[in-house]
Amino acid sequence: MTSSVSKGCFVFKPSVKKRRKSPTVEDYFTHGSEDTENSKLRFRTCQTLWEKMKADTELLQDELNRKILDSLLAFIRKSVSTFQRGTDDWASRMRAHEIPTAALVLGVNVPDHGMTFQSLSDQLQQSVTPFVVSLQATECAALNHMMQRVLERLMGTSVSVDDEEEPEQRSTIVNQKRVHCSLNTLCDWYKTVTKKAASGTPGKKRSSVGKDMQQHPPIVVIFKDLEAFNPRVLQDFILICSRYVEQLPLMFVFGIATSPSTIQHMLPHSVSSLLGIELFQSLSCTQHLATVIDKVILTSQFPFKPSGKVLQVLVSIFLYHDFSVRNFIKGLQLALLEHFHSQPLSVLCCKKEEALAHATELSHRDVERIQQLPSFMRYVEKQGPQEQVELLTSENHVKEVCQKLLKDLRKYHKNYYPILRCLHVLTASLPKYPLGKQIRELHISCLEKNVWENEEYVSAMQLLRMMAKDELISALQKCAEILKHGKTKKMGAALFQLNDLLAKFDQPDDAAESAAGEDLTSPGKGLQKKTDLFQLQKTLLEMKKSRRTKKMSQFEILRDQALEFIDSLVRSHLAPPESQPLYEVCYYSSSAVLRRHLNATPRTSIQTALSNPYHYLKNENMRTEDGTVSNAAPDICIVYKLHLECGRLINLYDWLEAYATVVSAAEGKDPDSADYGKVDELKHARFIQAVSELEFLGFIKSTKQKTDHVSRLTWGGC
């Protein structure tokens, strides 16, 4: 009891509720799995593999951007040193009011630009200047907004814009220091900061700047998406900045996605003449993609492999949608995650030592999964009767064979990629590119079927026979360089044979021709005795063939031997992965799943969501049979399903009555009650909102034929 004669204070401790632990990524990955331990092991393996792939791709992208970034940094350092020395060249530039400007053409792969500009900004702050500002068009709709962003990010304080500042906003910020938005303010601040740095009291930002930049570090303004800026705003900003070049060492970096001519289209000559523009061209996105595929996919370093159809989906999205290497890598990450989540045997998709260790620890269910793999079943069919019995009955024997097959699969990859590169080197320069201009095209062809059965392969071999001697020798020498990096005995033997062929190409023609003609028979031997007509015809054909063979030069003989050798390597090592047992462990082939996630069609997705909300929401209350309406579905789904039952014109009142009936059932009202299906204000408002949303999505529109009707725009049952 809390009542008492004397006064007192009573404390009631609230019941402590345990905070619900938010699920982790691993929890989502293992949810619904039969074997939790196996799922956790797969998740850790997937995470380790992706971290390695991500680190390698980031390092590769840094290397690809290094050349263009180094050129930019050299240009900025040169401009800064000229300004600090106060030479005549810089004085003439000041009189002309020129601002050093780097026009950086990055290409149309806009999603990748952010990473490039971030690297540029970091390197500038580390080695050139701490005063770097990055601007985007969305935040610079007006001139005062652009000036405000520049000053705030340089000075690290709030900047007031008197034209748009409301009295209420002024009263809310009392203790915060604000400065006026103008370049005069920036000049005063810059002089103060540089004086402090010169007097030996550098601020936090000065610690990472080199000694040669301490005196007058430049102010670099980066326009990330130049095409999206308002031309008038950009012109005014440049005109204002040109009046302060004697006081501020300003520099601009224009991020251009299309063409350098954009500058001429956006800026008139009176403005562009104020800029000292130098052009910088980055690596094209297609070259960037080719390098990423070569280093991440066409390598035996990573055990995970996308199938031909999966790789084709990723490349198609790249070529026909965004040209973004970053999104391509994200798609590859999704394929990796889907593979490890959907394939229980992906626990073997890891490093060689780990895979062999996991193979010895396979559970009974995993052994059954291996026995059910199509590739393993084909392998069993090729074995003898006794071996087949062992493979189908003995778990220990299956584990031993599994280790052997995993080793063979790795050897297959180590032999596959060098031969693939050799074939690409030989055929990439052929007319019309019968096997593709890019190595990824040849790789996809090899993944789908036996490449030597294609008509394009036969055509390529015919074109190789027409290749000039120096071109063929040069291509074979490149193949020898590729085979030098092979790490298997078969690649070593192939290199030895190829070097032997190349050595024969260097022999004199007479010696080779005499060696080639030693085994040829004399053409007159077959006519020394009397023969019948059939025998004479046969002898003449042999003589004709012998004469034709005799006329072959040394180069022609060696060329045929070299091409036969290359053809034998292709047939031995470029068989599709389906020919290898246990290939399902490493290859992800669900291209339809990947396409649905990465390249969904908006109209189909909208119709699926409206007709079957359970497909996306996964709410059991919304699960219905085909053609029925769930009363627990969102209003727009109910309205959509009801409109499918109508004709070309829909009566709004009848539509509202039907909607109210369905919603009343959801509320649990008695169908026999008087207010069942009655339209109140709330239901009416919900219905109007749902109809408006349906009209916004393009399923209906208002019509002038009848005032209380709407016109239906789509047809079909979904």
Side-chain angles (χ1 to χ4, degrees):
M1 294 179 64
T2 58
S3 59
S4 175
V5 176
S6 60
K7 294 181 179 181
C9 181
F10 301 91
V11 179
F12 295 89
K13 293 184 178 181
S15 58
V16 180
K17 294 183 179 180
K18 294 183 179 180
R19 290 185 177 180
R20 187 177 180 181
K21 186 180 178 181
S22 58
T24 61
V25 179
E26 184 177 358
D27 295 333
Y28 284 112
F29 188 91
T30 58
H31 178 70
S33 176
E34 298 177 2
D35 190 350
T36 306
E37 292 300 323
N38 180 278
S39 297
K40 290 182 178 179
L41 181 58
R42 278 187 282 137
F43 175 77
R44 291 193 295 269
T45 305
C46 175
Q47 203 171 30
T48 303
L49 183 57
W50 168 244
E51 288 175 355
K52 174 62 176 172
M53 294 176 69
K54 182 181 178 182
D56 285 9
T57 52
E58 289 178 352
L59 181 62
L60 177 63
Q61 289 175 320
D62 289 341
E63 292 177 356
L64 293 175
N65 290 329
R66 183 176 301 167
K67 184 177 180 181
I68 184 69
L69 294 181
D70 289 347
S71 301
L72 273 170
L73 293 175
F75 168 72
I76 294 174
R77 289 193 184 99
K78 178 182 176 182
S79 303
V80 173
S81 61
T82 309
F83 175 78
Q84 290 178 350
R85 288 196 302 267
T87 59
D88 295 337
D89 179 62
W90 182 258
S92 62
R93 177 172 289 183
M94 285 194 303
R95 285 192 297 270
H97 297 284
E98 284 190 1
I99 301 174
T101 303
L104 180 58
V105 182
L106 294 174
V108 294
N109 52 330
V110 178
D112 298 337
H113 293 182
M115 186 183 304
T116 304
F117 284 121
Q118 185 61 46
S119 300
L120 174 61
S121 179
D122 293 341
Q123 292 192 29
L124 284 173
Q125 291 180 343
Q126 290 174 5
S127 59
V128 179
T129 174
F131 307 133
V132 182
V133 182
S134 296
L135 299 177
Q136 287 184 319
T138 53
E139 57 189 9
C140 302
L143 178 61
N144 53 0
H145 293 159
M146 182 181 289
M147 297 286 292
Q148 185 180 16
R149 298 294 182 274
V150 172
L151 268 65
E152 283 181 348
R153 291 171 186 176
L154 285 174
M155 302 169 63
T157 183
S158 298
V159 178
S160 63
V161 182
D162 296 336
D163 295 340
E164 296 185 359
E165 193 175 80
E166 299 293 336
E168 295 179 359
Q169 295 177 347
R170 295 177 187 174
S171 61
T172 55
I173 306 175
V174 179
N175 298 325
Q176 191 174 7
K177 182 180 178 181
R178 300 178 68 90
V179 296
H180 184 62
C181 182
S182 69
L183 282 188
N184 281 326
T185 305
L186 183 62
C187 289
D188 296 338
W189 172 84
Y190 182 78
K191 291 177 182 178
T192 304
V193 171
T194 51
K195 283 182 180 179
K196 287 183 179 180
S199 61
T201 58
K204 293 181 180 179
K205 291 185 177 181
R206 314 243 30 97
S207 58
S208 61
V209 184
K211 293 181 179 180
D212 56 338
M213 302 299 164
Q214 291 286 341
Q215 223 175 7
H216 295 286
I219 298 176
V220 182
V221 182
I222 302 175
F223 299 87
K224 290 185 175 181
D225 44 352
L226 183 69
E227 290 91 345
F229 277 87
N230 186 328
R232 189 61 195 172
V233 173
L234 189 62
Q235 294 170 23
D236 293 342
F237 181 76
I238 294 174
L239 288 171
I240 294 173
C241 291
S242 65
R243 301 173 185 173
Y244 291 87
V245 291
E246 299 180 6
Q247 306 173 50
L248 293 173
L250 290 166
M251 295 184 185
F252 295 157
V253 177
F254 289 163
I256 302 173
T258 54
S259 170
S261 60
T262 302
I263 300 176
Q264 299 175 356
H265 297 155
M266 296 185 66
L267 305 177
H269 178 71
S270 59
V271 178
S272 61
S273 60
L274 303 175
L275 305 175
I277 302 175
E278 187 166 335
L279 184 64
F280 297 88
Q281 181 76 46
S282 68
L283 190 69
S284 68
C285 53
T286 52
Q287 292 175 319
H288 196 163
L289 176 69
T291 308
V292 170
I293 290 178
D294 186 70
K295 299 296 183 183
V296 178
I297 296 179
L298 303 181
T299 176
S300 58
Q301 180 181 2
F302 301 110
F304 170 74
K305 308 292 178 187
S307 68
K309 292 183 178 180
V310 170
L311 183 58
Q312 186 65 56
V313 169
L314 295 176
V315 173
S316 298
I317 293 174
F318 172 86
L319 293 176
Y320 299 113
H321 288 80
D322 54 11
F323 288 102
S324 172
V325 178
R326 180 183 178 187
N327 289 346
F328 177 88
I329 296 173
K330 287 292 184 182
L332 190 63
Q333 180 187 11
L334 177 61
L336 175 72
L337 187 62
E338 284 286 342
H339 176 66
F340 276 87
H341 183 262
S342 60
Q343 175 59 270
L345 294 176
S346 60
V347 69
L348 301 174
C349 183
C350 52
K351 294 181 179 180
K352 180 180 177 180
E353 295 76 11
E354 297 177 1
L356 297 179
H358 293 163
T360 60
E361 301 172 356
L362 291 173
S363 64
H364 174 71
R365 183 72 184 95
D366 290 335
V367 172
E368 290 182 346
R369 290 191 179 105
I370 289 178
Q371 293 172 336
Q372 294 170 2
L373 291 176
S375 63
F376 189 81
M377 294 172 66
R378 291 194 295 267
Y379 172 78
V380 173
E381 292 174 357
K382 296 178 182 179
Q383 307 304 312
Q386 184 63 31
E387 181 68 13
Q388 289 182 0
V389 173
E390 290 288 330
L391 290 172
L392 296 176
T393 57
S394 175
E395 289 190 10
N396 292 331
H397 187 65
V398 171
K399 293 178 182 179
E400 293 176 1
V401 173
C402 180
Q403 296 180 57
K404 174 183 174 298
L405 295 179
L406 289 174
K407 293 179 181 178
D408 293 342
L409 185 61
R410 293 184 176 277
K411 290 180 181 178
Y412 162 78
H413 287 140
K414 290 182 179 180
N415 295 330
Y416 174 90
Y417 295 115
I419 303 303
L420 179 73
R421 289 188 170 88
C422 289
L423 184 59
H424 175 67
V425 164
L426 288 168
T427 60
S429 59
L430 294 177
K432 296 184 179 180
Y433 311 106
L435 291 179
K437 187 176 181 179
Q438 302 289 341
I439 191 173
R440 63 170 181 266
E441 302 172 52
L442 177 60
H443 176 56
I444 292 174
S445 299
C446 294
L447 292 179
E448 291 177 350
K449 57 183 290 190
N450 293 331
V451 68
W452 57 87
E453 297 177 356
N454 295 340
E455 295 181 2
E456 294 81 4
Y457 178 82
V458 178
S459 175
M461 286 298 167
Q462 292 175 352
L463 291 173
L464 285 175
R465 286 183 170 86
M466 303 177 188
M467 187 177 286
K469 180 178 179 180
D470 54 346
E471 293 179 354
L472 181 61
I473 293 177
S474 176
L476 292 176
Q477 288 174 346
K478 292 179 181 178
C479 293
E481 290 296 326
I482 294 172
L483 294 177
K484 284 181 181 179
H485 302 286
K487 300 179 181 179
T488 62
K489 294 181 180 179
K490 291 183 178 180
M491 293 299 100
L495 176 62
F496 178 79
Q497 296 181 38
L498 185 57
N499 286 332
D500 186 47
L501 282 171
L502 288 172
K504 290 180 180 179
F505 274 106
D506 296 333
Q507 293 179 1
D509 292 347
D510 296 338
E513 286 181 1
S514 60
E518 287 178 357
D519 298 332
L520 298 177
T521 59
S522 175
K525 289 183 179 180
L527 299 177
Q528 292 177 357
K529 58 182 180 178
K530 292 184 178 180
T531 59
D532 56 7
L533 183 61
F534 176 77
Q535 189 65 29
L536 178 62
Q537 185 178 11
K538 182 179 179 182
T539 304
L540 290 173
L541 289 174
E542 290 178 354
M543 289 171 58
K544 183 178 180 181
K545 183 179 178 181
S546 175
R547 190 179 296 112
R548 185 178 298 171
T549 306
K550 265 192 160 184
K551 290 182 179 180
M552 292 182 67
S553 65
Q554 175 202 11
F555 167 68
E556 291 172 339
I557 297 172
L558 294 177
R559 177 199 61 196
D560 291 345
Q561 292 178 2
L563 294 182
E564 289 175 3
F565 171 68
I566 295 296
D567 183 65
S568 65
L569 291 178
V570 170
R571 294 174 183 269
S572 301
H573 303 296
L574 290 189
E578 284 81 358
S579 62
Q580 304 299 314
L582 300 186
Y583 83 95
E584 296 93 342
V585 170
C586 298
Y587 281 83
Y588 176 70
S589 56
S590 300
S591 58
V593 176
L594 200 66
R595 186 184 296 275
R596 186 171 67 248
H597 285 300
L598 297 178
N599 195 22
T601 53
R603 175 61 66 178
T604 304
S605 301
I606 291 172
Q607 290 180 337
T608 303
L610 293 177
S611 60
N612 184 20
Y614 173 79
H615 181 79
Y616 292 106
L617 299 179
K618 303 301 181 184
N619 189 336
E620 292 295 332
N621 296 329
M622 299 180 186
R623 185 192 290 271
T624 60
E625 298 178 359
D626 294 338
T628 60
V629 182
S630 171
N631 51 26
D635 292 338
I636 188 174
C637 298
I638 298 174
V639 170
Y640 173 79
K641 293 288 286 186
L642 291 173
H643 111 286
L644 293 178
E645 303 174 2
C646 303
R648 187 175 62 86
L649 295 178
I650 305 175
N651 188 306
L652 285 173
Y653 182 77
D654 295 341
W655 200 5
L656 174 61
E657 289 290 332
Y659 166 78
T661 303
V662 176
V663 173
S664 298
E667 296 173 352
K669 292 184 178 180
D670 186 7
D672 298 330
S673 61
D675 59 345
Y676 183 81
K678 185 178 180 181
V679 180
D680 54 18
E681 293 182 359
L682 180 59
K683 291 179 183 177
H684 187 268
R686 289 166 56 185
F687 174 77
I688 293 299
Q689 182 179 0
V691 171
S692 301
E693 292 172 351
L694 210 61
E695 182 178 7
F696 176 76
L697 292 175
F699 290 97
I700 60 173
K701 72 172 184 177
S702 58
T703 177
K704 295 181 180 180
Q705 296 182 11
K706 293 184 179 181
T707 55
D708 58 344
H709 285 63
V710 293
S711 176
R712 181 178 172 183
L713 299 178
T714 59
W715 303 97
C718 62

